[in-house]
């Protein structure tokens, strides 16, 4: 018993260490909670919480410590909050997922993702209504963005000033675009952390793939989807304010992402009719195709949610005859 306990403690500490390492890497930081989720998933009680709590605290604390010199004024505090925003929101979503162990997967996911989405919207509203401090942070980030190209030698010479102006416009477009996509991105990354960890732990459990393949939204949810996108179109033609449009697009994008999960479930169901296939295998096949084949990623990002939406009227999941 003591050896098993020591092994479990060692696994938790190792998972926390790997999660912390992921949180410090630019490429893997959006998946930094996968290792601790994989460790805590089979456990019950308080042991489920320790790895996730420890990994989240370390990631957020490290981000704050790295920017500690900026915490002397309001602008610096805002900059640090922006830097730790994503790991904090993912941490909140995953904590809810863990705390609802025993509930259905979709209920656990939506509960955590909704809380993370509300936090993201609140932060977006704060930044949109921010005063001088927010403007200072924005100007500093724009200068860093332009300086990056200057270091590469792309903003020098006679055409440097013109290129700088274009880079400033590009930076503004990127920031405004991210502001409109913050909720879907938070929901996507939170879901991927949970899905990858779950398929790693239960890779030999075919019932998991069966449950995912059977996921179906209520037909009445289509009215939420249509209503939000109609509101987005109306706001666009009515020249609504950026904040109002950003909130609408975020909400519509979040609902679209859920329909994308249903579209993935349809693809999994149809694929399993031709032979055994796990949800994890299908996910990684789609991921590799989207990463390696140009333009296919955009096509799949449109087709998968469209499958989920049109299942309201078309029966895609018919039993094999």
């Amino acid at each position: 018993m003591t050896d098993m306990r020591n092994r479990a403690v060692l696994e938790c500490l190792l998972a926390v260490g790997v999660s912390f390492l992921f949180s410090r890497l630019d490429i893997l930081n959006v998946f930094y909670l996968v290792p601790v989720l994989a460790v805590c998933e089979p456990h019950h009680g308080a042991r489920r919480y320790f790895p996730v709590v420890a990994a989240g605290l370390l990631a957020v604390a490290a981000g704050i410590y790295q920017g500690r010199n900026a915490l002397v004024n309001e602008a610096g505090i805002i900059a640090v909050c922006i830097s730790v925003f994503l790991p904090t929101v993912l941490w909140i979503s995953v904590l809810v997922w863990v705390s609802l162990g025993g509930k259905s997967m979709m209920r656990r996911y939506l509960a955590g993702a909704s809380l993370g989405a509300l936090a993201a919207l609140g932060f977006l509203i704060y930044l949109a209504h921010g005063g001088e401090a927010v403007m200072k942070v924005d100007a500093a980030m724009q200068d860093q963005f332009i300086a990056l190209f200057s270091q590469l030698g792309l903003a020098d010479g006679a055409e440097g000033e013109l290129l700088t102006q274009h880079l400033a416009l590009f930076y503004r477009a990127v920031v405004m675009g991210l502001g409109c996509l913050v909720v879907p991105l938070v929901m996507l990354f939170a879901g991927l952390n949970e899905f990858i960890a779950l398929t790693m732990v239960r890779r030999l459990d075919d019932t998991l793939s069966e449950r995912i393949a059977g996921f179906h939204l209520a037909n009445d949810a289509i009215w939420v989807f249509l209503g939000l996108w109609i509101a987005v179109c109306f706001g666009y033609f009515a020249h609504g304010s950026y904040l109002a449009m950003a909130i609408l697009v975020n909400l519509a994008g979040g609902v679209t992402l859920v329909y994308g999960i249903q579209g993935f479930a349809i693809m999994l169901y149809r694929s399993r009719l031709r032979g055994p296939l796990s949800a994890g295998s299908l996910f990684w096949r789609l991921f590799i195709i989207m990463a390696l084949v140009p333009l296919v990623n955009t096509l799949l990002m449109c087709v998968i949610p469209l499958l989920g939406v049109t299942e309201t009227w078309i029966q895609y999941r018919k039993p094999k005859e």
Side-chain angles (χ1 to χ4, degrees):
M1 182 66 69
T2 302
D3 291 341
M4 292 179 62
R5 182 175 299 177
N6 291 339
R7 181 179 177 181
V9 171
L10 183 61
E11 287 179 351
C12 287
L13 293 176
L14 181 61
V16 171
V18 174
S19 289
F20 177 72
L21 177 63
F22 281 9
S23 71
R24 307 311 300 161
L25 300 174
D26 292 336
I27 298 177
L28 296 175
N29 59 357
V30 294
F31 303 113
Y32 83 99
L33 290 166
V34 170
V36 288
L37 275 173
V39 167
C40 75
E41 187 64 33
H43 297 294
H44 301 281
R47 285 188 297 176
R48 289 173 58 87
Y49 294 93
F50 171 75
V52 176
V53 171
L57 280 175
L58 285 173
V60 175
I64 295 174
Y65 180 79
Q66 186 176 11
R68 65 191 182 280
N69 294 329
L71 298 175
V72 294
N73 52 50
E74 185 179 356
I77 294 173
I78 293 173
V80 172
C81 287
I82 293 173
S83 68
V84 300
F85 166 75
L86 185 58
T88 303
V89 174
L90 292 180
W91 184 33
I92 293 171
S93 299
V94 167
L95 279 174
V96 175
W97 165 272
V98 172
S99 66
L100 294 178
K103 305 292 184 181
S104 68
M105 289 186 296
M106 187 51 59
R107 182 178 298 181
R108 295 168 68 189
Y109 166 68
L110 288 179
S114 298
L115 193 58
L118 287 174
L121 281 179
F123 195 50
L124 174 65
I125 293 171
Y126 170 77
L127 292 178
H129 285 100
E132 183 180 352
V134 174
M135 298 296 291
K136 288 181 179 179
V137 174
D138 181 62
M141 293 177 67
Q142 178 176 303
D143 291 341
Q144 291 178 357
F145 183 82
I146 295 174
L148 174 64
F149 290 89
S150 298
Q151 293 173 0
L152 296 173
L154 300 178
D156 297 330
E159 299 179 352
E161 292 186 7
L162 181 60
L163 181 57
T164 298
Q165 294 176 5
H166 287 303
L167 287 173
L169 293 174
F170 180 62
Y171 165 82
R172 183 62 48 212
V174 170
V175 170
M176 295 179 72
L178 287 175
C180 292
L181 296 175
V182 62
V183 167
L185 288 175
V186 166
M187 294 178 65
L188 174 64
F189 292 138
L192 286 177
N193 275 271
E194 295 154 3
F195 175 80
I196 294 172
L198 201 60
T199 53
M200 287 173 58
V201 174
R202 300 172 60 179
R203 59 187 178 276
L204 302 178
D205 183 5
D206 194 59
T207 59
L208 173 65
S209 296
E210 289 182 2
R211 292 173 61 188
I212 294 175
F215 167 68
H216 192 288
L217 284 169
N219 287 338
D220 290 341
I222 192 65
W223 298 112
V224 179
F225 174 85
L226 294 175
L228 285 170
W229 281 113
I230 289 172
V232 169
C233 294
F234 177 80
Y236 174 79
F237 289 110
H239 302 290
S241 66
Y242 169 75
L243 180 59
M245 290 298 298
I247 293 174
L248 285 173
V249 173
N250 271 300
L251 294 175
V255 176
T256 303
L257 179 65
V258 178
Y259 270 105
I261 297 174
Q262 180 162 296
F264 176 81
I266 294 169
M267 295 180 68
L268 179 61
Y269 182 91
R270 299 295 301 179
S271 299
R272 286 169 63 86
L273 291 178
R274 296 190 292 270
L277 181 68
S278 68
S281 296
L282 177 61
F283 169 78
W284 289 114
R285 291 179 187 181
L286 291 174
F287 178 82
I288 292 171
I289 292 173
M290 293 173 68
L292 299 180
V293 184
L295 300 179
V296 172
N297 49 6
T298 305
L299 180 62
L300 285 175
M301 284 190 291
C302 296
V303 169
I304 294 176
L306 188 61
L307 276 175
V309 170
T310 54
E311 196 182 34
T312 307
W313 306 283
I314 303 172
Q315 186 180 358
Y316 292 117
R317 287 179 272 195
K318 297 180 181 179
K320 185 177 181 180
E321 297 178 358

